[in-house]
Amino acid sequence: MLKGKKILIGITGSIAAYKIPFIIRLLKKAGAEVQVIMTPMACDFITPLTLSTLSERPVLVDFYDKGDGSWHSHVDLGLWADLYLLAPVTANTMAKMVAGIADNLLLTTVLSARCPLFFAPAMDLDMYQHPSTQDNVKRLKEFGYQLIEPTKGELASGLHGFGRLEEPEIIFHRIVTYLNNKPLAGKKCLVTAGPTYEPIDPVRFIGNFSSGLMGIEIANSLAGLGAQVQLVLGPSSIEVSHPNIEIEKVTTSEQMLSACLKYFSSSYITVMAAAVADFKPTIVADKKIKKAVKLSTLELEPTSDILATLGKTKHDNQILIGFALETNQEVAHARKKLTAKNLDMIVLNSLNDPGAGFGYSTNKITLLKPAGEIISFPLKSKKEVAMDIVNAILSLKSQPK
Ligand code: CTP
């Protein structure tokens, strides 16, 4: 995946430095050459010996080797690298980068580097939220540096919030995606996400608990690979902002169907992650139904199955992926949907798996392919699950024409 790629990793003084050996291992396994540079403070958090053993290169800290006086040229390092990853990067180093201060080898190399630079901050939540840090992050992004945002969780301080270094696998994935020339560049993709609301009257509806997060993460992951993503999004409070994602907001299953029909024929990959309502009220009251009416039943009729409709017109050069949410005989039911809806792969969620499905930030999936292949994954964040799904899509036989 990364054969022949040269990656500089700059480590600064943060407790999250303990995660860097995992990144180095992933990069080395993928075939990359890795050169580590540390600030003097970083050496108090993780030993250069560990990092030089894993990277198979001496770790550089000073401007010159104190033993033999040889010069560590930041200019040469900056020209050597295909990518410079600063992880973890502290508030202090970010402030110096903004100001152009170059008082250690890591910083001089920042100024000399001609390659893309990724920076992954890690610090206490109040430090990260401080206006000066936020301003610096903004400035660094304006320099063209790519931010790998910290995630939310328990911090070394015992506080809880944004400031955790992103997970090694995700940082690795960002690098691979970037360096691998975006395999979906220019390809159109269609993703649906969120619930649908089927109105009963002007103030009530039939809906479900879907947040839209799973589909949104899939859209993000496809867009990260260079795809032009059309996201058809049911009612969801999650913010989506990626330059490669266009959003059409819908409310009802009927609106979702017509949006999908508009985009499907030109879409190379379509992922139907939305939790579409299966039934809708036969009659929608045009005025609020009053309590006095003592309504005891509601007449319902099935909605159109959007996925099945798309499956009927799918061409050989299109990839269509569906979801199956099951509570019993999960694999058998999912396999039935895979065939009946003419899909290239189905993502099975079982409501029996704790932490999976609606309302969680995690998910546990099993992927089923038409030839009978089944792959089960452990519980992961929805962002990681999205990457697993997208990686599986990329490995499907049908290639774009
Ligand atoms: N789906 C759809 N249109 C519908 C209902 C579902 O496009 N009206 C899609 C979902 O987006 C999902 C897949 O079909 O990708 C499976 O949805 P699921 O609710 O698991 O299954 P159903 O086909 O609705 O069958 P059942 O409810 O009987 O399990």
Side-chain angles (χ1 to χ4, degrees), residues 167-183:
E167 289 308 312
E169 288 79 2
I170 291 179
I171 295 179
F172 170 70
H173 185 85
R174 282 283 295 271
I175 293 173
V176 171
T177 308
Y178 191 90
L179 289 176
N180 273 351
N181 243 346
K182 314 218 180 260

mmCIF file of all heavy atoms in Angstrom, residues 167-183:
data_model
loop_
_atom_site.group_PDB
_atom_site.id
_atom_site.type_symbol
_atom_site.label_atom_id
_atom_site.label_comp_id
_atom_site.label_asym_id
_atom_site.label_seq_id
_atom_site.Cartn_x
_atom_site.Cartn_y
_atom_site.Cartn_z
ATOM 1 N N GLU A 167 -7.209 7.784 16.822
ATOM 2 C CA GLU A 167 -6.669 6.418 16.952
ATOM 3 C C GLU A 167 -5.652 6.124 15.842
ATOM 4 O O GLU A 167 -5.806 6.579 14.698
ATOM 5 C CB GLU A 167 -7.812 5.394 16.876
ATOM 6 C CG GLU A 167 -8.722 5.397 18.103
ATOM 7 C CD GLU A 167 -7.967 5.279 19.423
ATOM 8 O OE1 GLU A 167 -7.091 4.401 19.550
ATOM 9 O OE2 GLU A 167 -8.243 6.100 20.322
ATOM 10 N N PRO A 168 -4.605 5.332 16.160
ATOM 11 C CA PRO A 168 -3.559 5.030 15.174
ATOM 12 C C PRO A 168 -4.100 4.516 13.839
ATOM 13 O O PRO A 168 -3.640 4.940 12.784
ATOM 14 C CB PRO A 168 -2.720 3.949 15.870
ATOM 15 C CG PRO A 168 -2.870 4.251 17.318
ATOM 16 C CD PRO A 168 -4.264 4.776 17.490
ATOM 17 N N GLU A 169 -5.114 3.632 13.884
ATOM 18 C CA GLU A 169 -5.641 3.072 12.623
ATOM 19 C C GLU A 169 -6.228 4.173 11.740
ATOM 20 O O GLU A 169 -6.115 4.119 10.517
ATOM 21 C CB GLU A 169 -6.767 2.055 12.887
ATOM 22 C CG GLU A 169 -6.344 0.739 13.478
ATOM 23 C CD GLU A 169 -6.085 0.807 14.981
ATOM 24 O OE1 GLU A 169 -6.271 1.883 15.597
ATOM 25 O OE2 GLU A 169 -5.671 -0.186 15.541
ATOM 26 N N ILE A 170 -6.869 5.143 12.395
ATOM 27 C CA ILE A 170 -7.515 6.200 11.610
ATOM 28 C C ILE A 170 -6.457 7.148 11.033
ATOM 29 O O ILE A 170 -6.542 7.561 9.873
ATOM 30 C CB ILE A 170 -8.571 6.927 12.459
ATOM 31 C CG1 ILE A 170 -9.720 5.931 12.697
ATOM 32 C CG2 ILE A 170 -9.085 8.194 11.780
ATOM 33 C CD1 ILE A 170 -10.847 6.427 13.520
ATOM 34 N N ILE A 171 -5.447 7.448 11.831
ATOM 35 C CA ILE A 171 -4.352 8.292 11.312
ATOM 36 C C ILE A 171 -3.685 7.581 10.132
ATOM 37 O O ILE A 171 -3.432 8.171 9.076
ATOM 38 C CB ILE A 171 -3.338 8.608 12.430
ATOM 39 C CG1 ILE A 171 -4.010 9.464 13.512
ATOM 40 C CG2 ILE A 171 -2.091 9.279 11.870
ATOM 41 C CD1 ILE A 171 -3.136 9.826 14.685
ATOM 42 N N PHE A 172 -3.456 6.294 10.305
ATOM 43 C CA PHE A 172 -2.845 5.488 9.235
ATOM 44 C C PHE A 172 -3.719 5.529 7.986
ATOM 45 O O PHE A 172 -3.239 5.760 6.872
ATOM 46 C CB PHE A 172 -2.665 4.049 9.749
ATOM 47 C CG PHE A 172 -2.284 3.061 8.692
ATOM 48 C CD1 PHE A 172 -1.029 3.098 8.103
ATOM 49 C CD2 PHE A 172 -3.163 2.076 8.258
ATOM 50 C CE1 PHE A 172 -0.668 2.193 7.118
ATOM 51 C CE2 PHE A 172 -2.819 1.170 7.280
ATOM 52 C CZ PHE A 172 -1.573 1.226 6.702
ATOM 53 N N HIS A 173 -5.018 5.344 8.162
ATOM 54 C CA HIS A 173 -5.954 5.342 7.033
ATOM 55 C C HIS A 173 -5.918 6.688 6.305
ATOM 56 O O HIS A 173 -5.947 6.738 5.071
ATOM 57 C CB HIS A 173 -7.359 5.039 7.547
ATOM 58 C CG HIS A 173 -8.381 4.895 6.471
ATOM 59 N ND1 HIS A 173 -8.607 3.732 5.800
ATOM 60 C CD2 HIS A 173 -9.238 5.797 5.930
ATOM 61 C CE1 HIS A 173 -9.555 3.915 4.901
ATOM 62 N NE2 HIS A 173 -9.962 5.159 4.961
ATOM 63 N N ARG A 174 -5.863 7.785 7.070
ATOM 64 C CA ARG A 174 -5.791 9.125 6.454
ATOM 65 C C ARG A 174 -4.552 9.235 5.566
ATOM 66 O O ARG A 174 -4.594 9.789 4.464
ATOM 67 C CB ARG A 174 -5.725 10.211 7.540
ATOM 68 C CG ARG A 174 -7.034 10.563 8.205
ATOM 69 C CD ARG A 174 -7.939 11.446 7.347
ATOM 70 N NE ARG A 174 -7.414 12.775 7.063
ATOM 71 C CZ ARG A 174 -7.595 13.847 7.827
ATOM 72 N NH1 ARG A 174 -8.321 13.739 8.926
ATOM 73 N NH2 ARG A 174 -7.099 15.018 7.485
ATOM 74 N N ILE A 175 -3.431 8.705 6.064
ATOM 75 C CA ILE A 175 -2.176 8.794 5.307
ATOM 76 C C ILE A 175 -2.253 7.937 4.042
ATOM 77 O O ILE A 175 -1.907 8.388 2.950
ATOM 78 C CB ILE A 175 -0.990 8.352 6.199
ATOM 79 C CG1 ILE A 175 -0.796 9.356 7.329
ATOM 80 C CG2 ILE A 175 0.283 8.193 5.389
ATOM 81 C CD1 ILE A 175 0.227 8.958 8.358
ATOM 82 N N VAL A 176 -2.740 6.713 4.210
ATOM 83 C CA VAL A 176 -2.842 5.802 3.058
ATOM 84 C C VAL A 176 -3.741 6.420 1.993
ATOM 85 O O VAL A 176 -3.395 6.468 0.812
ATOM 86 C CB VAL A 176 -3.414 4.429 3.499
ATOM 87 C CG1 VAL A 176 -3.735 3.564 2.296
ATOM 88 C CG2 VAL A 176 -2.426 3.725 4.413
ATOM 89 N N THR A 177 -4.886 6.919 2.455
ATOM 90 C CA THR A 177 -5.848 7.507 1.528
ATOM 91 C C THR A 177 -5.207 8.649 0.752
ATOM 92 O O THR A 177 -5.348 8.760 -0.456
ATOM 93 C CB THR A 177 -7.033 8.066 2.332
ATOM 94 O OG1 THR A 177 -7.494 7.046 3.175
ATOM 95 C CG2 THR A 177 -8.153 8.514 1.445
ATOM 96 N N TYR A 178 -4.499 9.488 1.478
ATOM 97 C CA TYR A 178 -3.906 10.664 0.857
ATOM 98 C C TYR A 178 -2.834 10.261 -0.155
ATOM 99 O O TYR A 178 -2.796 10.749 -1.276
ATOM 100 C CB TYR A 178 -3.317 11.564 1.941
ATOM 101 C CG TYR A 178 -2.926 12.910 1.391
ATOM 102 C CD1 TYR A 178 -3.844 13.951 1.380
ATOM 103 C CD2 TYR A 178 -1.662 13.123 0.849
ATOM 104 C CE1 TYR A 178 -3.510 15.177 0.848
ATOM 105 C CE2 TYR A 178 -1.317 14.343 0.319
ATOM 106 C CZ TYR A 178 -2.241 15.371 0.319
ATOM 107 O OH TYR A 178 -1.916 16.572 -0.219
ATOM 108 N N LEU A 179 -1.968 9.337 0.291
ATOM 109 C CA LEU A 179 -0.826 9.003 -0.571
ATOM 110 C C LEU A 179 -1.211 8.091 -1.724
ATOM 111 O O LEU A 179 -0.510 8.003 -2.710
ATOM 112 C CB LEU A 179 0.277 8.352 0.264
ATOM 113 C CG LEU A 179 0.997 9.318 1.218
ATOM 114 C CD1 LEU A 179 2.009 8.566 2.062
ATOM 115 C CD2 LEU A 179 1.686 10.444 0.454
ATOM 116 N N ASN A 180 -2.326 7.399 -1.573
ATOM 117 C CA ASN A 180 -2.702 6.458 -2.629
ATOM 118 C C ASN A 180 -3.516 7.102 -3.738
ATOM 119 O O ASN A 180 -4.282 6.423 -4.425
ATOM 120 C CB ASN A 180 -3.443 5.263 -2.050
ATOM 121 C CG ASN A 180 -2.459 4.205 -1.619
ATOM 122 O OD1 ASN A 180 -1.274 4.308 -1.909
ATOM 123 N ND2 ASN A 180 -2.938 3.214 -0.924
ATOM 124 N N ASN A 181 -3.379 8.377 -3.828
ATOM 125 C CA ASN A 181 -3.945 9.077 -4.978
ATOM 126 C C ASN A 181 -5.450 8.979 -5.130
ATOM 127 O O ASN A 181 -5.965 9.011 -6.234
ATOM 128 C CB ASN A 181 -3.299 8.550 -6.261
ATOM 129 C CG ASN A 181 -2.550 9.660 -6.911
ATOM 130 O OD1 ASN A 181 -2.760 10.817 -6.525
ATOM 131 N ND2 ASN A 181 -1.705 9.332 -7.863
ATOM 132 N N LYS A 182 -6.135 8.794 -4.030
ATOM 133 C CA LYS A 182 -7.590 8.851 -4.022
ATOM 134 C C LYS A 182 -8.228 7.946 -5.080
ATOM 135 O O LYS A 182 -8.571 8.396 -6.169
ATOM 136 C CB LYS A 182 -8.040 10.296 -4.199
ATOM 137 C CG LYS A 182 -7.273 11.255 -3.304
ATOM 138 C CD LYS A 182 -8.163 12.311 -2.778
ATOM 139 C CE LYS A 182 -7.402 13.256 -1.891
ATOM 140 N NZ LYS A 182 -7.541 13.036 -0.505
ATOM 141 N N PRO A 183 -8.399 6.665 -4.750
ATOM 142 C CA PRO A 183 -8.888 5.709 -5.746
ATOM 143 C C PRO A 183 -10.279 6.020 -6.288
ATOM 144 O O PRO A 183 -10.661 5.489 -7.328
ATOM 145 C CB PRO A 183 -8.893 4.377 -4.987
ATOM 146 C CG PRO A 183 -8.872 4.750 -3.542
ATOM 147 C CD PRO A 183 -8.138 6.046 -3.457
#
